[in-house]
Amino acid sequence: MRRDRVTFAMMIGIPIMQMVVFGFAINSDPKHLPTVIVAADHTSYSRSIVSAMQNSGYFQIVKTVASEAEADLLIEEGEAQFVVTIPEGFSRRLVRGEQPALLLTADATDPSATSNALAAFRIFTETALSRDLDGPLRYLRRSGPPLNVVVHARFNPEGIMQYNIVPGLMGVVLTMTLVIITALAITRERERGTMENLLSTPVRPMEVMLGKIVPYIIVGYLQMSVILLAARYLFHVPIMGNLLLLLLVSLPFITANLGVGLTFSTLARNQLQAVQMAFFFFLPSILLSGFMFPFRGMPPWAQRVGEVLPLTHYLRIVRGIILKGNTLPQIFPNLWPIGVFLLVALTVGLTRYHRTLD
Amino acid sequence: MAEDVPVIEVQELTKSFNGKTVVDKLSLRVAPGEIYGFLGPNGSGKTTFIRMLCGLLRPDSGTGVCLGFDIQKESEKIKPHVGYMAQRFSLYEDLSVLENLNFMGRIYGLQQLKTLVDESIQRMGLARFANQLAGTLSGGWKQRLALATCLLHQPRLLLLDEPTAGVDPKARRDFWDDIYRLSEQGVTSLISTHYMDEAERCHRLAYLSYGKLLAAGTADQVIAASGLTSWSVFGSNVHRLAARLKGVAGVEQVVPFGNTLHVSGHDADKLARGLQPFMAEEYRWQKTEANLEEVFISLMQDRGVQ
């Protein structure tokens, strides 16, 4: 055990990591979801709705915008989880007992992130307004709910879990297989002694790296195609965006994972260690990326860890393109972090790769 | 290339791992077309030295020129002209013989690869294994394939690290025939080995121990320089005599060869005096030249004493 520190680190590290992640980071009832208000009506009634939302703990008002177009953009980019639209003349109609509509738009790509908040919304808005409707307006309380809450669950109106999981699976499968495959690639050369032969030839490190990466990029695309076909024909996931764009922006993600695998392979002394390291990377990727549990349900420190992982950003891109029909400008905020990660992984991998055996 | 320009010339090459000096100020000169034997006990630094020559390891200090290029700075220029065969089989076991040859050929960027590979397969007698996986070949054929791949790019220098370990005598003979043929064509070989018969086949030898060069030159020179005097004893019961000879003043080595016994020591007079009492017995004594094995064992023993 003393001689094989990586295995030792795994035995200690994995339980601790799981304890921290499952114990502290995971929360299937996310609170403080970013909400944008489109307020065309500025009265005490709309203010009490807003404060009731904040008091509920589910909603955190991050912005107040003037137009619905602006709010739509924020929801498409994933900046906001909810948009509450208080239409013009809301208070006037409320006082008249006309049961005005209050529109709640939700980004329902991940139904588990929004369902609790949506259920709570109906209840507390009514109670909040009932409290306001006092004195001369007391009669309004008796004639049914004072307002009509309209929930608009965008991108996944029926709240079908597969719509969220299957596209996300693409990122998970790519992360899992590509990191392990490449982590093994160079370690195997060293373990079998073929590295010695390779190093005595005039090949350059960059050539070896490319030789190890390019075939697996093709493998990555094959995996993607299988999942996309399954998503379309087996799970009937609506594909809203441009698949060509998806394939294109997947390249940095695939390469980033291969870069991680290569870095591991230059650190590991044997294939077992390489697999263990890959697992060490895969576990937080799947747990903290928002694949299994809502990203916004995690505490800030866990979100920061998640933001470093390429899978987190890739999931947003995949879901963005497939479910929301995002275009390049909308996914760009999640594209560059993957690019940075890719550069770092490849640089570390290339500098760690030795031209010699010492 | 002029005959007098050495293929390898290194001065005071040193390499240590974790503070342990493995190659200690080694200086060596190998002429073109020479077959240079590299001998020494396990862990004497032979492999490390060979690896430094072909750029697999970076020397800590010392200078050297290999094929006219600086081994410290120009190892990338040396690599295309060197055929290196590692101690361990280091080709791809899950590729066939043909695929291995093609792969290595492409790595060296060879033109007319198909012709070269076909020729190589014919010449090395690998034709019937061409589509067999390299991992399933026997030891001797693996060695042959390894030699074929390191000859594919027509190197000017061969660095062979214990190429014949675990290979049967017939395969070893074939191997040496190839080396001689290449030597005639001007290819230089540096071969490390533990076999004395192979050492005798080399044009020149170097004996390494704990990273230090203890002897170098032709076999005769190495023997002469050792200053060993040897006696052969013939008789029916030499083995019983062997036990009695051990510990006699002047006797450093008693080695049985079938029905003869080789007795040797550095001090010829002392050895003769020590052996005098035994000469009267029924054995036949003859003064002979020390052989390489005795020289090397005595070199190893000397190191042990120090």
Side-chain angles (χ1 to χ4, degrees):
Chain A
M1 201 54 73
R2 194 154 42 90
R3 305 269 153 81
D4 187 359
R5 298 228 170 115
V6 177
T7 304
F8 188 66
M10 284 287 289
M11 293 172 77
I12 303 291
I14 291 287
I16 290 179
M17 195 199 270
Q18 286 185 325
M19 218 150 64
V20 170
V21 169
F22 283 106
F24 295 116
I26 283 169
N27 169 21
S28 55
D29 184 18
K31 300 274 174 72
H32 309 292
L33 298 168
T35 306
V36 169
I37 306 280
V38 186
D41 182 88
H42 305 272
T43 60
S44 63
Y45 299 114
S46 49
R47 273 195 295 279
S48 57
I49 287 175
V50 169
S51 66
M53 284 173 73
Q54 269 172 318
N55 289 341
S56 76
Y58 281 110
F59 302 91
Q60 186 174 7
I61 313 299
V62 289
K63 223 172 184 178
T64 305
V65 296
S67 73
E68 280 196 48
E70 226 175 307
D72 279 349
L73 197 67
L74 288 170
I75 218 162
E76 274 161 19
E77 280 175 358
E79 289 281 308
Q81 187 89 40
F82 296 106
V83 172
V84 177
T85 311
I86 305 171
E88 219 184 311
F90 174 77
S91 306
R92 197 172 59 240
R93 298 183 60 198
L94 181 76
V95 175
R96 287 186 192 154
E98 289 177 13
Q99 295 189 338
L102 182 65
L103 180 64
L104 178 65
T105 312
D107 173 356
T109 43
D110 185 359
S112 63
T114 48
S115 55
N116 285 344
L118 289 177
F121 186 75
R122 284 176 200 277
I123 298 164
F124 67 71
T125 43
E126 285 172 24
T127 28
L129 282 179
S130 306
R131 215 176 301 125
D132 281 349
L133 300 175
D134 213 348
L137 297 173
R138 219 182 155 78
Y139 69 96
L140 284 173
R141 287 197 202 172
R142 258 165 277 138
S143 52
L147 81 171
N148 180 16
V149 174
V150 178
V151 173
H152 183 189
R154 284 187 70 185
F155 315 122
N156 187 2
E158 291 153 86
I160 298 171
M161 211 57 200
Q162 278 96 325
Y163 288 6
N164 187 48
I165 295 288
V166 176
L169 202 58
M170 204 146 62
V172 172
V173 166
L174 289 175
T175 303
M176 184 166 69
T177 51
L178 296 181
V179 171
I180 290 184
I181 286 176
T182 39
L184 290 178
I186 285 187
T187 325
R188 184 164 48 221
E189 296 256 4
R190 209 174 302 128
E191 217 173 278
R192 292 200 181 168
T194 50
M195 201 61 190
E196 190 174 351
N197 199 15
L198 211 54
L199 284 173
S200 75
T201 67
V203 286
R204 292 169 197 290
M206 201 63 190
E207 290 170 339
V208 176
M209 285 284 204
L210 282 177
K212 294 292 179 195
I213 283 181
V214 173
Y216 296 124
I217 289 183
I218 299 167
V219 170
Y221 274 118
L222 283 176
Q223 290 181 328
M224 277 186 73
S225 318
V226 170
I227 298 172
L228 277 174
L229 285 174
R232 177 76 185 77
Y233 296 104
L234 196 63
F235 297 101
H236 308 289
V237 177
I239 293 171
M240 309 304 289
N242 188 342
L243 281 185
L244 213 62
L245 176 69
L246 179 62
L247 293 176
L248 195 70
V249 296
S250 295
L251 188 64
F253 176 70
I254 290 174
T255 323
N257 281 314
L258 295 174
V260 173
L262 279 181
T263 305
F264 286 162
S265 74
T266 59
L267 295 169
R269 271 180 296 148
N270 52 49
Q271 296 193 48
L272 177 67
Q273 287 191 354
V275 173
Q276 288 172 331
M277 287 180 185
F279 192 69
F280 229 103
F281 178 72
F282 178 63
L283 197 64
S285 281
I286 195 167
L287 294 175
L288 299 180
S289 63
F291 173 72
M292 284 183 100
F293 309 99
F295 188 81
R296 289 189 171 121
M298 301 192 302
W301 65 265
Q303 293 197 14
R304 270 198 289 277
V305 176
E307 293 283 359
V308 176
L309 300 168
L311 182 60
T312 308
H313 300 281
Y314 187 67
L315 286 180
R316 294 180 193 156
I317 291 178
V318 172
R319 290 169 178 167
I321 292 178
I322 291 186
L323 299 174
K324 301 181 179 180
N326 277 177
T327 53
L328 190 58
Q330 286 159 324
I331 57 168
F332 188 75
N334 283 308
L335 195 56
W336 68 261
I338 296 179
V340 172
F341 190 93
L342 163 69
L343 275 182
V344 172
L346 278 187
T347 313
V348 173
L350 262 181
T351 40
R352 286 279 323 171
Y353 176 90
H354 293 292
R355 267 160 189 258
T356 56
L357 286 173
D358 42 0
Chain B
M1 192 155 66
E3 276 298 306
D4 52 341
V5 177
V7 171
I8 301 171
E9 185 161 38
V10 295
Q11 284 96 29
E12 310 220 314
L13 215 56
T14 302
K15 177 80 189 175
S16 52
F17 293 111
N18 303 323
K20 192 166 162 272
T21 308
V22 179
V23 172
D24 194 3
K25 293 186 179 166
L26 193 77
S27 301
L28 200 75
R29 203 184 141 98
V30 180
E34 215 166 39
I35 299 175
Y36 204 97
F38 228 50
L39 292 107
N42 294 325
S44 57
K46 302 186 297 286
T47 299
T48 306
F49 179 73
I50 290 178
R51 284 179 173 174
M52 281 196 283
L53 282 181
C54 63
L56 282 176
L57 291 173
R58 215 167 280 127
D60 295 339
S61 66
T63 56
V65 175
C66 183
L67 297 163
F69 298 111
D70 189 303
I71 61 164
Q72 292 267 29
K73 295 179 204 115
E74 298 178 300
S75 65
E76 296 308 311
K77 287 183 187 161
I78 299 174
K79 283 178 180 178
H81 305 291
V82 171
Y84 171 66
M85 189 169 152
Q87 204 167 342
R88 192 174 146 192
F89 180 71
S90 60
L91 291 166
Y92 295 90
E93 301 208 333
D94 37 15
L95 292 186
S96 72
V97 168
L98 197 63
E99 286 164 344
N100 264 307
L101 284 166
N102 278 326
F103 176 70
M104 291 309 283
R106 279 205 293 271
I107 282 211
Y108 281 97
L110 299 181
Q111 306 290 316
Q112 282 147 355
L113 186 61
K114 199 181 173 321
T115 331
L116 280 175
V117 168
D118 285 348
E119 273 173 19
S120 164
I121 282 183
Q122 290 308 323
R123 194 175 51 236
M124 303 301 277
L126 286 162
R128 66 195 162 105
F129 302 113
N131 292 312
Q132 193 174 324
L133 295 188
T136 62
L137 292 174
S138 66
W141 284 107
K142 275 185 184 170
Q143 177 254 16
R144 227 158 155 68
L145 171 62
L147 185 64
T149 46
C150 77
L151 291 176
L152 204 59
H153 57 288
Q154 291 158 334
R156 283 155 57 200
L157 171 65
L158 284 177
L159 299 172
L160 310 173
D161 196 1
E162 292 188 24
T164 53
V167 170
D168 71 48
K170 167 77 171 66
R172 271 169 61 191
R173 163 108 27 109
D174 291 344
F175 168 80
W176 277 94
D177 288 346
D178 290 327
I179 298 297
Y180 277 118
R181 183 173 48 76
L182 289 162
S183 171
E184 279 162 28
Q185 294 164 10
V187 176
T188 314
S189 303
L190 185 73
I191 303 173
S192 77
T193 180
H194 284 301
Y195 296 110
M196 286 307 141
D197 59 317
E198 293 189 347
E200 280 160 3
R201 288 172 191 242
C202 295
H203 296 141
R204 275 171 180 281
L205 297 171
Y207 185 84
L208 234 69
S209 179
Y210 296 98
K212 281 193 159 62
L213 190 67
L214 295 188
T218 62
D220 292 341
Q221 285 171 342
V222 169
I223 291 170
S226 72
L228 269 187
T229 311
S230 258
W231 289 81
S232 290
V233 196
F234 307 91
S236 52
N237 254 324
V238 285
H239 299 296
R240 206 177 298 158
L241 182 66
R244 290 163 61 203
L245 284 173
K246 277 177 187 162
V248 171
V251 175
E252 288 165 18
Q253 272 187 65
V254 183
V255 188
F257 285 96
N259 282 328
T260 50
L261 211 59
H262 272 227
V263 186
S264 52
H266 275 102
D267 189 332
D269 293 341
K270 204 173 165 191
L271 181 66
R273 257 180 284 126
L275 294 177
Q276 201 64 48
F278 300 95
M279 302 246 181
E281 297 178 26
E282 74 269 35
Y283 305 106
R284 194 156 57 79
W285 291 80
Q286 194 177 25
K287 202 167 178 181
T288 51
E289 198 180 54
N291 65 26
L292 270 177
E293 184 167 336
E294 286 168 321
V295 171
F296 291 144
I297 288 174
S298 107
L299 284 169
M300 269 164 90
Q301 284 174 340
D302 290 354
R303 282 293 304 197
V305 171
Q306 277 173 15

